[in-house]
Every structure is written in C-alpha cells, then in structure tokens.
C-alpha cells in the first residue's frame, strides 16, 4: 500500500491526504473519441506530448470501424464495450451521461482510472470534481473516477479563484452566452445548417435544440429542474460549491444559448466579504495561472469568442465596480468551452495523475 502523505501540487499547504504514487498510464483509451470534445482531447494529447505506450479510440457502433489519424498513424475506432478496457490504465471519457454511467464501472473494475467529462459522476460524494487551477489536491481522494466540471462552471471558477482567495466571494450572479459547440457535433451542425436554411428561406429540422438557434437566443439550456431553474443552471450552483468546498457561496445563474459557434461568454457579478477594487482585481487576475486579462474599454479591447477561440486560457475583461452593491465587482469572462471547458481540463487532470508532482511535493504525515 503506498504511503499517505500531505502535499501541495501547486502552492501553499494542502489539507488533503492522498496516496503517494502517481498512476502508471502507459495504456490509454479515449472514450467518445469521435465527438466534439474527443477530437480536441486527441489534439491535446498530441500537442502536449502526453506519455503513453499504447492508445485506443472508442465510440458507438456509428463510428466503430472508421479510421482516426493520431501522430501520423491510422487507428481504427473500436466499439465501446467492457472488453475494450482490458489492459487499460487511463481513460479520458467524453460521452453522453448515460454512456459514462455504463462504461466507467467497466473500466474501473478492470483497474483503470477514468477522467470523465460527462455530468454523470460530478456530484457523487466519492468522485472528486477537479479544476487544476482551483482545487488540484482534491484529485488525491479519488477512487478510480475523477470528474471534470460543466464547461460554464469551469471558466467561472477559474476566474473566481484569485478573487475568492483575496476577498472571499459570498455571492455570484452570472448570465451565460453559450456557444452551440457546447451541444456537441450536432449543436455545431445546427448553427451552420440552420443559418444557411434561414438565409435561403428554408426550414431546418434542429437536432440539438428545441428552438431555432439561427438568428435567435434560447434562455434554456438543459431540462427544467425546480424553482424555475434548468439543469445547466443548477450545475453551475452545485458544482461551484463542491469545487470550492463551500456550500455557503450563493450562485444565481441564467444560462442562455446564443448563435455563436464556439466559446462561452459570461457576465459575472461577485459580492465579496471584504472590499476589492477593480485595479486590485485586475492585478490578481493577471497574476493567476490560466487567466489572461484583456481589459481596455476605451480602446475597444475585451475578450470575445472571436479572439479567445482555440486557446486554453480563461479570458477576463470589462472589470469594474458593481455600482449596485458595496463590495461588488463586475466582469466579463470568455473561454473556449471545448478546450478549458472540457478537453484541456481533462488532459490537465490526466497530467496531474501521472505527474511526479503527485508524489514528490510533500512531506510524510
Ligand atoms: N461540448 C462541450 O463544450 C462540453 C463541455 C464540457 C463537457 N462536455 C461533455 O462531454 C461529453 C461529450 O460532449 P461532446 O460535445 O463531445 O458530444 P458529441 O460531439 O455528441 O460526442 C459524443 C461522443 O460520444 C460517443 N457516443 C455517443 N453515444 C455512444 C454510445 N452509446 N456508445 C459509445 N459511444 C457513444 C459518440 O460516438 P459516435 O461518433 O459513434 O456517435 C461521440 O464520440 C458530454 O457528456 C458533454 O456533456 C461537453
């Protein structure tokens, strides 16, 4: 049994005990490899030179048998089934929730560790919900499955982190402007095909959305849950509280789908316990890992989907005092939902799992 130690993966002192051994991840499987997120996971593993001996790509029977190019080599997509996880050490999963619920136990029972991007495992007590810039050491309590948060939660908590550390955030009011790629390959196709059809005066049968997304905005993402909130909005509330380990943080979200192909935008108001000026906030954001500040209203410079696409950072701008609240701060936040909102975060978690930092940073306790 590996020794239990207390470590700090990035900075400060961790209070989480964990097993000292990094996992050995020589044999990797990408579940949902043909999807919008899976495609990015493949690109990131290539570009970041993630270490492995063997890799396989899994999807449904729709894609099984097709060929994927990875590091210049052709790979045949295999059917996602229990035996696909024989001899696999690490799985990065980007499948729908119901598929993740089924395959993750197959993989864990065969000894693999699963990094899951679906919503299925996120709120389970025994599953850490991890954003490496915010709560990296939560990873150490894992029991075979580690969850990556909802894309709109991830960019918000990365932006909240430096402000929360400096002045403790009590309350957040957030409105999202979410891209169609957040609904996967079908969502991306709906925007282009639906826009073309609308311009040509034709009807389009939308697959991912229950209303036209071309030339429209839809103030509903996910299903109706309770008290007038949608599933996407409640994810932003509960996931934020879990990641910060603080159920007293209040979050009032409104999630809206907009006709933008990629990158979610968010208008965020935070109320802090102690005052924080816009200039202090700007400096804290600029010093934080994973955040880029673009903030010059006079010059017309701020983050937009068009200047944040295909990048791994979370971008913030329009940083200003919330005039309606004594300790209030308002800002605008944009991030590539397929990257930091999904693939980048999952690959960062995988990198932490195999990293020497996982065992080398602390003292025995
Ligand atoms: N899109 C985002 O911005 C985002 C952000 C954060 C988290 N996520 C989460 O990531 C997951 C994937 O999202 P996505 O946007 O990449 O969706 P997507 O484009 O629809 O891709 C879904 C993937 O899952 C596979 N799949 C579907 N049903 C399957 C089945 N029965 N058996 C095996 N494989 C199956 C698909 O394979 P086929 O090609 O064979 O159909 C495809 O590879 C979802 O849980 C989503 O909530 C997405």
């Amino acid at each position: 049994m590996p020794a239990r130690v207390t470590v700090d993966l990035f900075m400060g002192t961790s209070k989480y005990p964990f097993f000292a051994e990094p996992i050995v991840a020589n044999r990797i499987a990408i579940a949902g490899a043909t999807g919008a997120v899976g495609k990015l996971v493949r690109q990131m593993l290539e570009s970041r030179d993630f270490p492995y001996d063997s890799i396989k790509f899994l999807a449904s029977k729709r894609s099984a048998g097709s060929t994927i190019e990875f590091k210049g080599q052709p790979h045949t997509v295999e059917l996602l089934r229990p035996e696909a996880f024989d001899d696999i050490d690490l799985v990065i999963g980007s499948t729908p929730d119901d598929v993740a619920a089924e395959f993750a136990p197959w993989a864990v029972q065969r000894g693999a560790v699963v990094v899951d991007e679906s919503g299925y495992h996120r709120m389970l007590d025994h599953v850490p919900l991890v954003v490496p810039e915010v709560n990296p050491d939560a990873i150490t309590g894992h029991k075979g499955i580690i969850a990556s948060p909802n894309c709109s939660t991830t960019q918000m908590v990365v932006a909240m982190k430096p402000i929360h550390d400096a002045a403790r955030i009590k309350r957040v009011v957030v409105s999202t402007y979410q891209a169609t790629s957040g609904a996967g390959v079908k969502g991306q196709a709906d925007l282009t095909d639906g826009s073309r059809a609308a311009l040509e005066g034709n009807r389009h049968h939308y697959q991912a959305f229950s209303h036209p997304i071309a030339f429209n905005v839809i103030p509903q993402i996910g299903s109706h849950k309770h008290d007038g909130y949608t599933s996407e909005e409640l994810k932003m509330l509960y996931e934020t509280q879990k990641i910060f380990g603080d159920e007293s943080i209040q979050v009032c979200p409104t999630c809206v789908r907009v006709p933008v192909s990629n990158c979610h935008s968010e208008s965020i108001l935070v109320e802090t316990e102690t005052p924080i000026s816009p200039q202090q906030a700007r400096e804290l954001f600029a010093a934080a890992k994973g955040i880029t500040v673009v903030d010059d209203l006079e010059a017309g410079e701020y983050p937009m989907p068009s200047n944040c696409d295909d990048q791994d950072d979370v971008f913030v701008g329009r940083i200003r005092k919330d005039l309606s609240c004594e300790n209030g701060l308002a800002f605008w936040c944009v991030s590539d939902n397929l990257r930091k909102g999904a693939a980048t975060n999952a690959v960062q978690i995988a990198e932490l799992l195999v990293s020497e930092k996982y065992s080398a940073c602390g003292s025995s306790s």
Side-chain angles (χ1 to χ4, degrees), residues 32-38 59-60 62-63 80 94-97 99 117-119 122 149-151 181-185 337-338 341-342:
T34 51
V37 177
S60 79
R62 286 180 291 273
S63 311
L80 185 76
S94 322
T95 67
D97 292 5
V99 179
E117 310 214 44
S118 87
R122 290 180 193 146
N150 180 264
C151 39
S181 64
V185 169
N337 49 290
L338 292 176

PDB file of all heavy atoms in Angstrom, residues 32-38 59-60 62-63 80 94-97 99 117-119 122 149-151 181-185 337-338 341-342, ligand 1:
ATOM      1  N   GLY A  32     -15.461   8.113 -26.532  1.00  0.00           N
ATOM      2  CA  GLY A  32     -16.115   9.264 -27.170  1.00  0.00           C
ATOM      3  C   GLY A  32     -15.122  10.029 -28.024  1.00  0.00           C
ATOM      4  O   GLY A  32     -15.214  11.253 -28.167  1.00  0.00           O
ATOM      5  N   ALA A  33     -14.178   9.283 -28.615  1.00  0.00           N
ATOM      6  CA  ALA A  33     -13.056   9.906 -29.346  1.00  0.00           C
ATOM      7  C   ALA A  33     -13.485  10.637 -30.604  1.00  0.00           C
ATOM      8  O   ALA A  33     -12.742  11.456 -31.125  1.00  0.00           O
ATOM      9  CB  ALA A  33     -12.032   8.829 -29.705  1.00  0.00           C
ATOM     10  N   THR A  34     -14.695  10.345 -31.106  1.00  0.00           N
ATOM     11  CA  THR A  34     -15.140  10.944 -32.375  1.00  0.00           C
ATOM     12  C   THR A  34     -15.992  12.199 -32.169  1.00  0.00           C
ATOM     13  O   THR A  34     -16.404  12.827 -33.142  1.00  0.00           O
ATOM     14  CB  THR A  34     -15.980   9.913 -33.160  1.00  0.00           C
ATOM     15  OG1 THR A  34     -16.993   9.413 -32.262  1.00  0.00           O
ATOM     16  CG2 THR A  34     -15.126   8.765 -33.647  1.00  0.00           C
ATOM     17  N   GLY A  35     -16.262  12.577 -30.904  1.00  0.00           N
ATOM     18  CA  GLY A  35     -17.132  13.714 -30.627  1.00  0.00           C
ATOM     19  C   GLY A  35     -16.382  15.040 -30.675  1.00  0.00           C
ATOM     20  O   GLY A  35     -15.161  15.089 -30.906  1.00  0.00           O
ATOM     21  N   ALA A  36     -17.129  16.135 -30.433  1.00  0.00           N
ATOM     22  CA  ALA A  36     -16.533  17.475 -30.465  1.00  0.00           C
ATOM     23  C   ALA A  36     -15.416  17.589 -29.427  1.00  0.00           C
ATOM     24  O   ALA A  36     -14.334  18.121 -29.699  1.00  0.00           O
ATOM     25  CB  ALA A  36     -17.622  18.519 -30.211  1.00  0.00           C
ATOM     26  N   VAL A  37     -15.656  17.083 -28.216  1.00  0.00           N
ATOM     27  CA  VAL A  37     -14.631  17.153 -27.160  1.00  0.00           C
ATOM     28  C   VAL A  37     -13.543  16.108 -27.405  1.00  0.00           C
ATOM     29  O   VAL A  37     -12.346  16.395 -27.284  1.00  0.00           O
ATOM     30  CB  VAL A  37     -15.264  16.956 -25.765  1.00  0.00           C
ATOM     31  CG1 VAL A  37     -14.193  16.949 -24.692  1.00  0.00           C
ATOM     32  CG2 VAL A  37     -16.291  18.046 -25.468  1.00  0.00           C
ATOM     33  N   GLY A  38     -13.964  14.893 -27.784  1.00  0.00           N
ATOM     34  CA  GLY A  38     -12.995  13.825 -28.022  1.00  0.00           C
ATOM     35  C   GLY A  38     -11.955  14.207 -29.060  1.00  0.00           C
ATOM     36  O   GLY A  38     -10.771  13.881 -28.927  1.00  0.00           O
ATOM     37  N   ALA A  59     -15.834   4.504 -29.489  1.00  0.00           N
ATOM     38  CA  ALA A  59     -17.061   5.268 -29.766  1.00  0.00           C
ATOM     39  C   ALA A  59     -18.206   4.276 -29.952  1.00  0.00           C
ATOM     40  O   ALA A  59     -18.062   3.092 -29.637  1.00  0.00           O
ATOM     41  CB  ALA A  59     -16.865   6.152 -31.003  1.00  0.00           C
ATOM     42  N   SER A  60     -19.326   4.768 -30.441  1.00  0.00           N
ATOM     43  CA  SER A  60     -20.507   3.905 -30.605  1.00  0.00           C
ATOM     44  C   SER A  60     -20.386   3.099 -31.898  1.00  0.00           C
ATOM     45  O   SER A  60     -19.457   3.298 -32.690  1.00  0.00           O
ATOM     46  CB  SER A  60     -21.764   4.758 -30.641  1.00  0.00           C
ATOM     47  OG  SER A  60     -21.906   5.333 -31.923  1.00  0.00           O
ATOM     48  N   ARG A  62     -21.934   3.648 -34.417  1.00  0.00           N
ATOM     49  CA  ARG A  62     -21.996   4.564 -35.562  1.00  0.00           C
ATOM     50  C   ARG A  62     -20.602   4.812 -36.141  1.00  0.00           C
ATOM     51  O   ARG A  62     -20.435   4.982 -37.334  1.00  0.00           O
ATOM     52  CB  ARG A  62     -22.600   5.915 -35.133  1.00  0.00           C
ATOM     53  CG  ARG A  62     -24.079   5.908 -34.895  1.00  0.00           C
ATOM     54  CD  ARG A  62     -24.561   7.303 -34.471  1.00  0.00           C
ATOM     55  NE  ARG A  62     -24.076   7.667 -33.137  1.00  0.00           N
ATOM     56  CZ  ARG A  62     -24.699   7.358 -32.003  1.00  0.00           C
ATOM     57  NH1 ARG A  62     -25.819   6.702 -32.041  1.00  0.00           N
ATOM     58  NH2 ARG A  62     -24.188   7.711 -30.834  1.00  0.00           N
ATOM     59  N   SER A  63     -19.592   4.885 -35.256  1.00  0.00           N
ATOM     60  CA  SER A  63     -18.233   5.227 -35.712  1.00  0.00           C
ATOM     61  C   SER A  63     -17.266   4.056 -35.665  1.00  0.00           C
ATOM     62  O   SER A  63     -16.161   4.168 -36.221  1.00  0.00           O
ATOM     63  CB  SER A  63     -17.650   6.342 -34.835  1.00  0.00           C
ATOM     64  OG  SER A  63     -18.547   7.388 -34.695  1.00  0.00           O
ATOM     65  N   LEU A  80     -17.177   0.839 -28.017  1.00  0.00           N
ATOM     66  CA  LEU A  80     -17.113   0.956 -26.556  1.00  0.00           C
ATOM     67  C   LEU A  80     -17.859  -0.229 -25.944  1.00  0.00           C
ATOM     68  O   LEU A  80     -19.078  -0.346 -26.103  1.00  0.00           O
ATOM     69  CB  LEU A  80     -17.784   2.267 -26.142  1.00  0.00           C
ATOM     70  CG  LEU A  80     -17.733   2.641 -24.673  1.00  0.00           C
ATOM     71  CD1 LEU A  80     -16.364   3.160 -24.291  1.00  0.00           C
ATOM     72  CD2 LEU A  80     -18.771   3.703 -24.356  1.00  0.00           C
ATOM     73  N   SER A  94     -15.401  11.278 -22.967  1.00  0.00           N
ATOM     74  CA  SER A  94     -16.224  12.423 -23.409  1.00  0.00           C
ATOM     75  C   SER A  94     -17.441  11.862 -24.122  1.00  0.00           C
ATOM     76  O   SER A  94     -17.577  11.998 -25.338  1.00  0.00           O
ATOM     77  CB  SER A  94     -15.465  13.317 -24.379  1.00  0.00           C
ATOM     78  OG  SER A  94     -14.132  13.432 -24.031  1.00  0.00           O
ATOM     79  N   THR A  95     -18.295  11.225 -23.369  1.00  0.00           N
ATOM     80  CA  THR A  95     -19.509  10.611 -23.916  1.00  0.00           C
ATOM     81  C   THR A  95     -20.726  11.237 -23.231  1.00  0.00           C
ATOM     82  O   THR A  95     -20.584  11.906 -22.192  1.00  0.00           O
ATOM     83  CB  THR A  95     -19.532   9.105 -23.614  1.00  0.00           C
ATOM     84  OG1 THR A  95     -19.660   8.935 -22.200  1.00  0.00           O
ATOM     85  CG2 THR A  95     -18.272   8.403 -24.099  1.00  0.00           C
ATOM     86  N   PRO A  96     -21.927  10.990 -23.741  1.00  0.00           N
ATOM     87  CA  PRO A  96     -23.126  11.429 -23.007  1.00  0.00           C
ATOM     88  C   PRO A  96     -23.165  10.789 -21.610  1.00  0.00           C
ATOM     89  O   PRO A  96     -22.546   9.747 -21.367  1.00  0.00           O
ATOM     90  CB  PRO A  96     -24.274  10.920 -23.889  1.00  0.00           C
ATOM     91  CG  PRO A  96     -23.684  10.783 -25.257  1.00  0.00           C
ATOM     92  CD  PRO A  96     -22.256  10.401 -25.048  1.00  0.00           C
ATOM     93  N   ASP A  97     -23.960  11.402 -20.722  1.00  0.00           N
ATOM     94  CA  ASP A  97     -24.023  10.961 -19.314  1.00  0.00           C
ATOM     95  C   ASP A  97     -24.352   9.472 -19.185  1.00  0.00           C
ATOM     96  O   ASP A  97     -23.716   8.753 -18.418  1.00  0.00           O
ATOM     97  CB  ASP A  97     -25.110  11.741 -18.562  1.00  0.00           C
ATOM     98  CG  ASP A  97     -24.768  13.208 -18.379  1.00  0.00           C
ATOM     99  OD1 ASP A  97     -23.736  13.649 -18.918  1.00  0.00           O
ATOM    100  OD2 ASP A  97     -25.542  13.905 -17.699  1.00  0.00           O
ATOM    101  N   VAL A  99     -23.983   7.038 -21.167  1.00  0.00           N
ATOM    102  CA  VAL A  99     -22.901   6.165 -21.651  1.00  0.00           C
ATOM    103  C   VAL A  99     -21.771   6.133 -20.604  1.00  0.00           C
ATOM    104  O   VAL A  99     -21.217   5.074 -20.300  1.00  0.00           O
ATOM    105  CB  VAL A  99     -22.386   6.660 -23.025  1.00  0.00           C
ATOM    106  CG1 VAL A  99     -21.254   5.777 -23.536  1.00  0.00           C
ATOM    107  CG2 VAL A  99     -23.531   6.706 -24.034  1.00  0.00           C
ATOM    108  N   GLU A 117     -15.684  13.521 -18.462  1.00  0.00           N
ATOM    109  CA  GLU A 117     -16.154  14.878 -18.772  1.00  0.00           C
ATOM    110  C   GLU A 117     -17.669  14.977 -18.747  1.00  0.00           C
ATOM    111  O   GLU A 117     -18.217  16.070 -18.877  1.00  0.00           O
ATOM    112  CB  GLU A 117     -15.672  15.278 -20.161  1.00  0.00           C
ATOM    113  CG  GLU A 117     -14.196  15.024 -20.334  1.00  0.00           C
ATOM    114  CD  GLU A 117     -13.548  16.032 -21.212  1.00  0.00           C
ATOM    115  OE1 GLU A 117     -13.846  17.218 -21.042  1.00  0.00           O
ATOM    116  OE2 GLU A 117     -12.748  15.627 -22.049  1.00  0.00           O
ATOM    117  N   SER A 118     -18.354  13.881 -18.636  1.00  0.00           N
ATOM    118  CA  SER A 118     -19.817  13.936 -18.630  1.00  0.00           C
ATOM    119  C   SER A 118     -20.307  14.464 -17.282  1.00  0.00           C
ATOM    120  O   SER A 118     -19.547  14.611 -16.330  1.00  0.00           O
ATOM    121  CB  SER A 118     -20.402  12.541 -18.868  1.00  0.00           C
ATOM    122  OG  SER A 118     -20.529  11.845 -17.648  1.00  0.00           O
ATOM    123  N   GLY A 119     -21.614  14.697 -17.213  1.00  0.00           N
ATOM    124  CA  GLY A 119     -22.187  15.210 -15.968  1.00  0.00           C
ATOM    125  C   GLY A 119     -22.526  14.111 -14.964  1.00  0.00           C
ATOM    126  O   GLY A 119     -22.892  14.409 -13.828  1.00  0.00           O
ATOM    127  N   ARG A 122     -20.270  13.877 -11.513  1.00  0.00           N
ATOM    128  CA  ARG A 122     -19.711  15.084 -10.884  1.00  0.00           C
ATOM    129  C   ARG A 122     -20.106  15.294  -9.437  1.00  0.00           C
ATOM    130  O   ARG A 122     -19.294  15.709  -8.624  1.00  0.00           O
ATOM    131  CB  ARG A 122     -20.130  16.325 -11.691  1.00  0.00           C
ATOM    132  CG  ARG A 122     -19.464  16.410 -13.036  1.00  0.00           C
ATOM    133  CD  ARG A 122     -19.922  17.649 -13.780  1.00  0.00           C
ATOM    134  NE  ARG A 122     -19.524  17.576 -15.169  1.00  0.00           N
ATOM    135  CZ  ARG A 122     -20.242  18.069 -16.170  1.00  0.00           C
ATOM    136  NH1 ARG A 122     -21.384  18.685 -15.923  1.00  0.00           N
ATOM    137  NH2 ARG A 122     -19.819  17.962 -17.405  1.00  0.00           N
ATOM    138  N   PRO A 149     -15.681  19.422 -14.543  1.00  0.00           N
ATOM    139  CA  PRO A 149     -16.970  20.106 -14.417  1.00  0.00           C
ATOM    140  C   PRO A 149     -17.623  20.473 -15.751  1.00  0.00           C
ATOM    141  O   PRO A 149     -17.015  20.371 -16.813  1.00  0.00           O
ATOM    142  CB  PRO A 149     -16.632  21.385 -13.652  1.00  0.00           C
ATOM    143  CG  PRO A 149     -15.261  21.203 -13.153  1.00  0.00           C
ATOM    144  CD  PRO A 149     -14.578  20.227 -14.041  1.00  0.00           C
ATOM    145  N   ASN A 150     -18.842  20.955 -15.636  1.00  0.00           N
ATOM    146  CA  ASN A 150     -19.565  21.561 -16.748  1.00  0.00           C
ATOM    147  C   ASN A 150     -18.735  22.728 -17.296  1.00  0.00           C
ATOM    148  O   ASN A 150     -18.090  23.448 -16.532  1.00  0.00           O
ATOM    149  CB  ASN A 150     -20.909  22.052 -16.200  1.00  0.00           C
ATOM    150  CG  ASN A 150     -21.740  22.706 -17.252  1.00  0.00           C
ATOM    151  OD1 ASN A 150     -21.726  23.920 -17.386  1.00  0.00           O
ATOM    152  ND2 ASN A 150     -22.457  21.935 -18.006  1.00  0.00           N
ATOM    153  N   CYS A 151     -18.803  22.943 -18.613  1.00  0.00           N
ATOM    154  CA  CYS A 151     -17.948  23.966 -19.227  1.00  0.00           C
ATOM    155  C   CYS A 151     -18.213  25.372 -18.690  1.00  0.00           C
ATOM    156  O   CYS A 151     -17.279  26.157 -18.488  1.00  0.00           O
ATOM    157  CB  CYS A 151     -18.101  23.943 -20.737  1.00  0.00           C
ATOM    158  SG  CYS A 151     -19.781  23.676 -21.305  1.00  0.00           S
ATOM    159  N   SER A 181     -21.358  24.805 -29.848  1.00  0.00           N
ATOM    160  CA  SER A 181     -20.469  23.637 -29.715  1.00  0.00           C
ATOM    161  C   SER A 181     -20.621  22.991 -28.338  1.00  0.00           C
ATOM    162  O   SER A 181     -20.214  21.848 -28.153  1.00  0.00           O
ATOM    163  CB  SER A 181     -19.011  24.035 -29.946  1.00  0.00           C
ATOM    164  OG  SER A 181     -18.593  24.947 -28.950  1.00  0.00           O
ATOM    165  N   GLY A 182     -21.207  23.714 -27.390  1.00  0.00           N
ATOM    166  CA  GLY A 182     -21.492  23.132 -26.076  1.00  0.00           C
ATOM    167  C   GLY A 182     -22.479  21.983 -26.175  1.00  0.00           C
ATOM    168  O   GLY A 182     -22.580  21.155 -25.274  1.00  0.00           O
ATOM    169  N   ALA A 183     -23.216  21.917 -27.277  1.00  0.00           N
ATOM    170  CA  ALA A 183     -24.146  20.802 -27.507  1.00  0.00           C
ATOM    171  C   ALA A 183     -23.547  19.787 -28.473  1.00  0.00           C
ATOM    172  O   ALA A 183     -24.288  19.030 -29.112  1.00  0.00           O
ATOM    173  CB  ALA A 183     -25.480  21.327 -28.022  1.00  0.00           C
ATOM    174  N   GLY A 184     -22.226  19.779 -28.590  1.00  0.00           N
ATOM    175  CA  GLY A 184     -21.541  18.746 -29.357  1.00  0.00           C
ATOM    176  C   GLY A 184     -21.602  18.948 -30.862  1.00  0.00           C
ATOM    177  O   GLY A 184     -21.947  20.025 -31.360  1.00  0.00           O
ATOM    178  N   VAL A 185     -21.249  17.888 -31.571  1.00  0.00           N
ATOM    179  CA  VAL A 185     -21.176  17.932 -33.034  1.00  0.00           C
ATOM    180  C   VAL A 185     -22.530  18.339 -33.625  1.00  0.00           C
ATOM    181  O   VAL A 185     -22.601  19.140 -34.562  1.00  0.00           O
ATOM    182  CB  VAL A 185     -20.742  16.543 -33.560  1.00  0.00           C
ATOM    183  CG1 VAL A 185     -20.915  16.450 -35.064  1.00  0.00           C
ATOM    184  CG2 VAL A 185     -19.300  16.239 -33.170  1.00  0.00           C
ATOM    185  N   ASN A 337     -15.064  26.639 -24.703  1.00  0.00           N
ATOM    186  CA  ASN A 337     -15.741  25.583 -23.926  1.00  0.00           C
ATOM    187  C   ASN A 337     -15.251  24.197 -24.288  1.00  0.00           C
ATOM    188  O   ASN A 337     -15.285  23.274 -23.469  1.00  0.00           O
ATOM    189  CB  ASN A 337     -17.257  25.669 -24.134  1.00  0.00           C
ATOM    190  CG  ASN A 337     -17.660  25.760 -25.589  1.00  0.00           C
ATOM    191  OD1 ASN A 337     -17.424  26.794 -26.223  1.00  0.00           O
ATOM    192  ND2 ASN A 337     -18.246  24.713 -26.132  1.00  0.00           N
ATOM    193  N   LEU A 338     -14.789  24.008 -25.537  1.00  0.00           N
ATOM    194  CA  LEU A 338     -14.287  22.678 -25.915  1.00  0.00           C
ATOM    195  C   LEU A 338     -12.878  22.459 -25.357  1.00  0.00           C
ATOM    196  O   LEU A 338     -12.464  21.330 -25.147  1.00  0.00           O
ATOM    197  CB  LEU A 338     -14.266  22.522 -27.440  1.00  0.00           C
ATOM    198  CG  LEU A 338     -15.626  22.481 -28.130  1.00  0.00           C
ATOM    199  CD1 LEU A 338     -15.448  22.411 -29.646  1.00  0.00           C
ATOM    200  CD2 LEU A 338     -16.466  21.296 -27.644  1.00  0.00           C
ATOM    201  N   GLY A 341     -13.043  24.387 -21.086  1.00  0.00           N
ATOM    202  CA  GLY A 341     -14.311  23.879 -20.567  1.00  0.00           C
ATOM    203  C   GLY A 341     -14.441  22.371 -20.615  1.00  0.00           C
ATOM    204  O   GLY A 341     -15.362  21.808 -20.032  1.00  0.00           O
ATOM    205  N   ALA A 342     -13.535  21.710 -21.327  1.00  0.00           N
ATOM    206  CA  ALA A 342     -13.660  20.254 -21.452  1.00  0.00           C
ATOM    207  C   ALA A 342     -12.288  19.601 -21.644  1.00  0.00           C
ATOM    208  O   ALA A 342     -11.674  19.142 -20.681  1.00  0.00           O
ATOM    209  CB  ALA A 342     -14.597  19.912 -22.605  1.00  0.00           C
TER     210      ALA A 342
HETATM  211  N1  LIG B   1     -19.201  20.281 -25.829  1.00  0.00           N
HETATM  212  C1  LIG B   1     -18.778  20.894 -24.757  1.00  0.00           C
HETATM  213  O1  LIG B   1     -18.476  22.103 -24.754  1.00  0.00           O
HETATM  214  C2  LIG B   1     -18.629  20.124 -23.471  1.00  0.00           C
HETATM  215  C3  LIG B   1     -18.007  20.740 -22.379  1.00  0.00           C
HETATM  216  C4  LIG B   1     -17.879  20.045 -21.167  1.00  0.00           C
HETATM  217  C5  LIG B   1     -18.353  18.753 -21.082  1.00  0.00           C
HETATM  218  N2  LIG B   1     -18.961  18.184 -22.156  1.00  0.00           N
HETATM  219  C6  LIG B   1     -19.461  16.820 -22.005  1.00  0.00           C
HETATM  220  O2  LIG B   1     -18.620  15.956 -22.773  1.00  0.00           O
HETATM  221  C7  LIG B   1     -19.396  14.870 -23.285  1.00  0.00           C
HETATM  222  C8  LIG B   1     -19.211  14.805 -24.787  1.00  0.00           C
HETATM  223  O3  LIG B   1     -19.679  16.008 -25.363  1.00  0.00           O
HETATM  224  P1  LIG B   1     -19.476  16.357 -26.911  1.00  0.00           P
HETATM  225  O4  LIG B   1     -19.864  17.769 -27.021  1.00  0.00           O
HETATM  226  O5  LIG B   1     -18.135  15.929 -27.373  1.00  0.00           O
HETATM  227  O6  LIG B   1     -20.608  15.426 -27.583  1.00  0.00           O
HETATM  228  P2  LIG B   1     -20.645  14.794 -29.053  1.00  0.00           P
HETATM  229  O7  LIG B   1     -19.972  15.690 -30.024  1.00  0.00           O
HETATM  230  O8  LIG B   1     -22.071  14.462 -29.280  1.00  0.00           O
HETATM  231  O9  LIG B   1     -19.789  13.430 -28.922  1.00  0.00           O
HETATM  232  C9  LIG B   1     -20.256  12.316 -28.193  1.00  0.00           C
HETATM  233  C10 LIG B   1     -19.243  11.182 -28.272  1.00  0.00           C
HETATM  234  O10 LIG B   1     -19.766  10.084 -27.505  1.00  0.00           O
HETATM  235  C11 LIG B   1     -19.883   8.935 -28.346  1.00  0.00           C
HETATM  236  N3  LIG B   1     -21.088   8.182 -28.018  1.00  0.00           N
HETATM  237  C12 LIG B   1     -22.385   8.587 -28.039  1.00  0.00           C
HETATM  238  N4  LIG B   1     -23.214   7.569 -27.711  1.00  0.00           N
HETATM  239  C13 LIG B   1     -22.435   6.489 -27.504  1.00  0.00           C
HETATM  240  C14 LIG B   1     -22.694   5.134 -27.153  1.00  0.00           C
HETATM  241  N5  LIG B   1     -23.942   4.668 -26.943  1.00  0.00           N
HETATM  242  N6  LIG B   1     -21.626   4.286 -27.030  1.00  0.00           N
HETATM  243  C15 LIG B   1     -20.376   4.726 -27.240  1.00  0.00           C
HETATM  244  N7  LIG B   1     -20.055   5.998 -27.561  1.00  0.00           N
HETATM  245  C16 LIG B   1     -21.078   6.878 -27.698  1.00  0.00           C
HETATM  246  C17 LIG B   1     -20.003   9.485 -29.760  1.00  0.00           C
HETATM  247  O11 LIG B   1     -19.612   8.487 -30.666  1.00  0.00           O
HETATM  248  P3  LIG B   1     -20.230   8.395 -32.168  1.00  0.00           P
HETATM  249  O12 LIG B   1     -19.389   9.305 -33.016  1.00  0.00           O
HETATM  250  O13 LIG B   1     -20.048   6.962 -32.515  1.00  0.00           O
HETATM  251  O14 LIG B   1     -21.656   8.826 -32.094  1.00  0.00           O
HETATM  252  C18 LIG B   1     -19.022  10.656 -29.684  1.00  0.00           C
HETATM  253  O15 LIG B   1     -17.713  10.170 -29.817  1.00  0.00           O
HETATM  254  C19 LIG B   1     -20.851  15.126 -22.833  1.00  0.00           C
HETATM  255  O16 LIG B   1     -21.118  14.419 -21.652  1.00  0.00           O
HETATM  256  C20 LIG B   1     -20.866  16.610 -22.566  1.00  0.00           C
HETATM  257  O17 LIG B   1     -21.836  16.977 -21.602  1.00  0.00           O
HETATM  258  C21 LIG B   1     -19.097  18.818 -23.346  1.00  0.00           C
END
